[in-house]
mmCIF file of all heavy atoms in Angstrom:
data_model
loop_
_atom_site.group_PDB
_atom_site.id
_atom_site.type_symbol
_atom_site.label_atom_id
_atom_site.label_comp_id
_atom_site.label_asym_id
_atom_site.label_seq_id
_atom_site.Cartn_x
_atom_site.Cartn_y
_atom_site.Cartn_z
ATOM 1 N N LEU A 37 -0.910 50.631 -15.099
ATOM 2 C CA LEU A 37 0.368 51.448 -15.340
ATOM 3 C C LEU A 37 0.382 52.139 -16.698
ATOM 4 O O LEU A 37 0.811 53.228 -16.828
ATOM 5 C CB LEU A 37 1.629 50.693 -15.139
ATOM 6 C CG LEU A 37 2.955 51.592 -15.060
ATOM 7 C CD1 LEU A 37 2.907 52.471 -13.905
ATOM 8 C CD2 LEU A 37 4.208 50.517 -14.895
ATOM 9 N N ARG A 68 9.636 29.792 -8.726
ATOM 10 C CA ARG A 68 10.496 29.772 -7.605
ATOM 11 C C ARG A 68 9.985 30.755 -6.511
ATOM 12 O O ARG A 68 9.926 30.442 -5.241
ATOM 13 C CB ARG A 68 11.902 30.334 -8.058
ATOM 14 C CG ARG A 68 12.976 30.459 -6.929
ATOM 15 C CD ARG A 68 14.335 30.629 -7.439
ATOM 16 N NE ARG A 68 14.352 31.714 -8.292
ATOM 17 C CZ ARG A 68 14.564 31.784 -9.687
ATOM 18 N NH1 ARG A 68 14.734 30.666 -10.296
ATOM 19 N NH2 ARG A 68 14.731 32.898 -10.401
ATOM 20 N N THR A 72 8.409 29.448 -2.677
ATOM 21 C CA THR A 72 8.947 30.040 -1.401
ATOM 22 C C THR A 72 7.837 30.946 -0.707
ATOM 23 O O THR A 72 8.317 31.535 0.391
ATOM 24 C CB THR A 72 10.177 30.932 -1.771
ATOM 25 O OG1 THR A 72 9.745 31.871 -2.751
ATOM 26 C CG2 THR A 72 11.280 30.011 -2.375
ATOM 27 N N GLY A 90 -5.726 32.575 1.503
ATOM 28 C CA GLY A 90 -5.860 31.887 2.811
ATOM 29 C C GLY A 90 -7.137 32.276 3.545
ATOM 30 O O GLY A 90 -7.954 31.468 3.945
ATOM 31 N N TRP A 94 -10.767 29.417 3.805
ATOM 32 C CA TRP A 94 -11.384 28.859 4.943
ATOM 33 C C TRP A 94 -12.848 28.878 4.855
ATOM 34 O O TRP A 94 -13.428 27.811 5.106
ATOM 35 C CB TRP A 94 -10.820 29.650 6.208
ATOM 36 C CG TRP A 94 -11.389 29.106 7.487
ATOM 37 C CD1 TRP A 94 -12.170 29.902 8.360
ATOM 38 C CD2 TRP A 94 -11.464 27.817 7.979
ATOM 39 N NE1 TRP A 94 -12.536 29.232 9.489
ATOM 40 C CE2 TRP A 94 -12.186 27.851 9.225
ATOM 41 C CE3 TRP A 94 -10.878 26.603 7.504
ATOM 42 C CZ2 TRP A 94 -12.295 26.725 10.019
ATOM 43 C CZ3 TRP A 94 -11.086 25.417 8.398
ATOM 44 C CH2 TRP A 94 -11.762 25.539 9.593
ATOM 45 N N LEU A 97 -13.930 26.108 2.476
ATOM 46 C CA LEU A 97 -13.638 24.739 2.882
ATOM 47 C C LEU A 97 -14.771 24.374 3.909
ATOM 48 O O LEU A 97 -15.250 23.210 3.977
ATOM 49 C CB LEU A 97 -12.300 24.612 3.717
ATOM 50 C CG LEU A 97 -11.119 24.626 2.884
ATOM 51 C CD1 LEU A 97 -9.849 24.698 3.660
ATOM 52 C CD2 LEU A 97 -11.183 23.343 1.858
ATOM 53 N N ALA A 100 -18.089 23.751 1.793
ATOM 54 C CA ALA A 100 -17.880 22.489 1.039
ATOM 55 C C ALA A 100 -17.763 21.326 1.741
ATOM 56 O O ALA A 100 -18.340 20.262 1.509
ATOM 57 C CB ALA A 100 -16.518 22.672 0.198
ATOM 58 N N TRP A 102 -19.261 20.649 5.039
ATOM 59 C CA TRP A 102 -20.601 20.234 5.501
ATOM 60 C C TRP A 102 -21.417 19.933 4.419
ATOM 61 O O TRP A 102 -22.252 18.981 4.479
ATOM 62 C CB TRP A 102 -21.102 21.455 6.286
ATOM 63 C CG TRP A 102 -20.349 21.694 7.554
ATOM 64 C CD1 TRP A 102 -19.669 22.797 8.001
ATOM 65 C CD2 TRP A 102 -20.332 20.836 8.691
ATOM 66 N NE1 TRP A 102 -19.101 22.559 9.166
ATOM 67 C CE2 TRP A 102 -19.459 21.461 9.725
ATOM 68 C CE3 TRP A 102 -20.839 19.452 8.912
ATOM 69 C CZ2 TRP A 102 -19.188 20.759 10.904
ATOM 70 C CZ3 TRP A 102 -20.542 18.836 10.182
ATOM 71 C CH2 TRP A 102 -19.735 19.491 11.053
ATOM 72 N N SER A 124 -40.095 0.603 -7.300
ATOM 73 C CA SER A 124 -41.184 0.842 -6.250
ATOM 74 C C SER A 124 -41.627 2.259 -6.310
ATOM 75 O O SER A 124 -41.148 3.099 -7.061
ATOM 76 C CB SER A 124 -40.733 0.442 -4.807
ATOM 77 O OG SER A 124 -39.781 1.391 -4.483
ATOM 78 N N MET A 140 -32.502 21.857 -11.714
ATOM 79 C CA MET A 140 -32.678 23.128 -11.098
ATOM 80 C C MET A 140 -31.390 23.891 -11.040
ATOM 81 O O MET A 140 -30.403 23.474 -10.552
ATOM 82 C CB MET A 140 -33.146 22.801 -9.701
ATOM 83 C CG MET A 140 -33.611 24.055 -8.947
ATOM 84 S SD MET A 140 -34.137 23.591 -7.143
ATOM 85 C CE MET A 140 -35.389 22.433 -7.489
ATOM 86 N N VAL A 155 -36.383 36.089 4.049
ATOM 87 C CA VAL A 155 -37.055 37.419 3.812
ATOM 88 C C VAL A 155 -38.525 37.363 4.160
ATOM 89 O O VAL A 155 -38.969 38.219 4.904
ATOM 90 C CB VAL A 155 -36.906 37.576 2.278
ATOM 91 C CG1 VAL A 155 -37.656 39.007 2.021
ATOM 92 C CG2 VAL A 155 -35.499 37.841 1.856
ATOM 93 N N PRO A 181 -22.311 28.400 18.626
ATOM 94 C CA PRO A 181 -22.618 27.312 17.503
ATOM 95 C C PRO A 181 -23.935 27.388 16.816
ATOM 96 O O PRO A 181 -23.990 27.180 15.667
ATOM 97 C CB PRO A 181 -22.430 26.070 18.362
ATOM 98 C CG PRO A 181 -21.554 26.531 19.585
ATOM 99 C CD PRO A 181 -22.114 27.807 19.949
ATOM 100 N N MET A 211 -25.056 0.216 -7.028
ATOM 101 C CA MET A 211 -25.605 -0.771 -6.024
ATOM 102 C C MET A 211 -26.444 -1.808 -6.848
ATOM 103 O O MET A 211 -26.405 -2.973 -6.417
ATOM 104 C CB MET A 211 -26.511 0.118 -5.118
ATOM 105 C CG MET A 211 -27.130 -0.725 -4.033
ATOM 106 S SD MET A 211 -25.864 -1.157 -2.833
ATOM 107 C CE MET A 211 -26.709 -2.145 -1.591
ATOM 108 N N ARG A 224 -26.765 -15.401 -1.116
ATOM 109 C CA ARG A 224 -28.232 -15.671 -0.932
ATOM 110 C C ARG A 224 -28.382 -17.112 -0.904
ATOM 111 O O ARG A 224 -29.178 -17.765 -0.100
ATOM 112 C CB ARG A 224 -28.970 -15.071 -2.069
ATOM 113 C CG ARG A 224 -29.110 -13.538 -2.007
ATOM 114 C CD ARG A 224 -29.786 -13.010 -3.161
ATOM 115 N NE ARG A 224 -30.087 -11.655 -3.144
ATOM 116 C CZ ARG A 224 -30.275 -10.752 -4.160
ATOM 117 N NH1 ARG A 224 -30.353 -11.227 -5.358
ATOM 118 N NH2 ARG A 224 -30.428 -9.451 -3.974
ATOM 119 N N PRO A 245 -16.947 3.077 -7.078
ATOM 120 C CA PRO A 245 -17.357 4.215 -7.912
ATOM 121 C C PRO A 245 -17.951 5.433 -7.369
ATOM 122 O O PRO A 245 -17.665 6.446 -7.801
ATOM 123 C CB PRO A 245 -18.199 3.508 -9.029
ATOM 124 C CG PRO A 245 -18.818 2.334 -8.186
ATOM 125 C CD PRO A 245 -17.709 1.814 -7.269
ATOM 126 N N VAL A 250 -17.366 11.260 -5.840
ATOM 127 C CA VAL A 250 -17.467 12.222 -4.591
ATOM 128 C C VAL A 250 -16.117 12.999 -4.529
ATOM 129 O O VAL A 250 -16.096 14.188 -4.375
ATOM 130 C CB VAL A 250 -17.717 11.599 -3.333
ATOM 131 C CG1 VAL A 250 -17.519 12.454 -2.144
ATOM 132 C CG2 VAL A 250 -19.201 11.035 -3.280
ATOM 133 N N VAL A 262 -18.820 29.770 -6.906
ATOM 134 C CA VAL A 262 -18.986 31.207 -7.320
ATOM 135 C C VAL A 262 -20.378 31.634 -7.070
ATOM 136 O O VAL A 262 -20.707 32.594 -6.375
ATOM 137 C CB VAL A 262 -18.617 31.374 -8.752
ATOM 138 C CG1 VAL A 262 -18.807 32.850 -9.156
ATOM 139 C CG2 VAL A 262 -17.150 31.007 -9.004
ATOM 140 N N GLN A 266 -21.713 33.945 -3.931
ATOM 141 C CA GLN A 266 -22.231 35.288 -4.238
ATOM 142 C C GLN A 266 -23.614 35.569 -3.807
ATOM 143 O O GLN A 266 -23.957 36.659 -3.365
ATOM 144 C CB GLN A 266 -22.170 35.516 -5.872
ATOM 145 C CG GLN A 266 -22.302 36.837 -6.340
ATOM 146 C CD GLN A 266 -21.110 37.783 -6.026
ATOM 147 O OE1 GLN A 266 -20.064 37.331 -5.617
ATOM 148 N NE2 GLN A 266 -21.343 39.191 -6.038
ATOM 149 N N PHE A 268 -25.194 34.164 -1.111
ATOM 150 C CA PHE A 268 -25.227 34.106 0.324
ATOM 151 C C PHE A 268 -24.257 34.955 0.964
ATOM 152 O O PHE A 268 -24.008 34.921 2.219
ATOM 153 C CB PHE A 268 -25.090 32.582 0.796
ATOM 154 C CG PHE A 268 -26.297 31.823 0.486
ATOM 155 C CD1 PHE A 268 -26.165 30.874 -0.672
ATOM 156 C CD2 PHE A 268 -27.430 31.901 1.116
ATOM 157 C CE1 PHE A 268 -27.206 30.044 -1.029
ATOM 158 C CE2 PHE A 268 -28.541 31.020 0.802
ATOM 159 C CZ PHE A 268 -28.403 30.251 -0.228
ATOM 160 N N ALA A 269 -23.468 35.794 0.174
ATOM 161 C CA ALA A 269 -22.453 36.808 0.692
ATOM 162 C C ALA A 269 -21.533 36.107 1.523
ATOM 163 O O ALA A 269 -21.166 36.546 2.603
ATOM 164 C CB ALA A 269 -23.257 37.854 1.563
ATOM 165 N N MET A 273 -13.573 31.508 -2.004
ATOM 166 C CA MET A 273 -12.814 31.361 -3.071
ATOM 167 C C MET A 273 -13.518 31.760 -4.384
ATOM 168 O O MET A 273 -12.974 32.471 -5.191
ATOM 169 C CB MET A 273 -12.184 29.954 -3.212
ATOM 170 C CG MET A 273 -11.242 29.533 -2.224
ATOM 171 S SD MET A 273 -9.604 30.351 -2.483
ATOM 172 C CE MET A 273 -8.992 29.432 -3.902
ATOM 173 N N LEU A 281 -11.497 38.522 -11.279
ATOM 174 C CA LEU A 281 -11.711 38.493 -12.648
ATOM 175 C C LEU A 281 -12.352 39.746 -13.268
ATOM 176 O O LEU A 281 -11.849 40.396 -14.213
ATOM 177 C CB LEU A 281 -12.648 37.421 -13.053
ATOM 178 C CG LEU A 281 -12.833 37.150 -14.537
ATOM 179 C CD1 LEU A 281 -11.678 36.558 -15.164
ATOM 180 C CD2 LEU A 281 -14.017 36.017 -14.656
ATOM 181 N N VAL A 298 -4.096 22.155 -7.840
ATOM 182 C CA VAL A 298 -3.515 21.285 -6.877
ATOM 183 C C VAL A 298 -4.532 20.605 -6.081
ATOM 184 O O VAL A 298 -4.405 19.451 -5.839
ATOM 185 C CB VAL A 298 -2.573 22.121 -5.931
ATOM 186 C CG1 VAL A 298 -2.094 21.209 -4.753
ATOM 187 C CG2 VAL A 298 -1.394 22.696 -6.649
ATOM 188 N N LEU A 309 -6.685 6.403 -3.919
ATOM 189 C CA LEU A 309 -6.420 5.734 -2.633
ATOM 190 C C LEU A 309 -7.699 5.101 -2.044
ATOM 191 O O LEU A 309 -7.593 3.930 -1.482
ATOM 192 C CB LEU A 309 -5.865 6.670 -1.511
ATOM 193 C CG LEU A 309 -4.414 7.353 -1.916
ATOM 194 C CD1 LEU A 309 -3.929 8.245 -0.853
ATOM 195 C CD2 LEU A 309 -3.383 6.246 -2.198
#
Side-chain angles (χ1 to χ4, degrees):
L37 189 59
R68 183 167 56 249
T72 56
W94 178 235
L97 288 176
W102 291 114
S124 65
M140 186 183 302
V155 177
M211 190 68 182
R224 287 172 180 166
V250 171
V262 178
Q266 193 68 18
F268 293 99
M273 290 287 285
L281 184 64
V298 171
L309 297 180

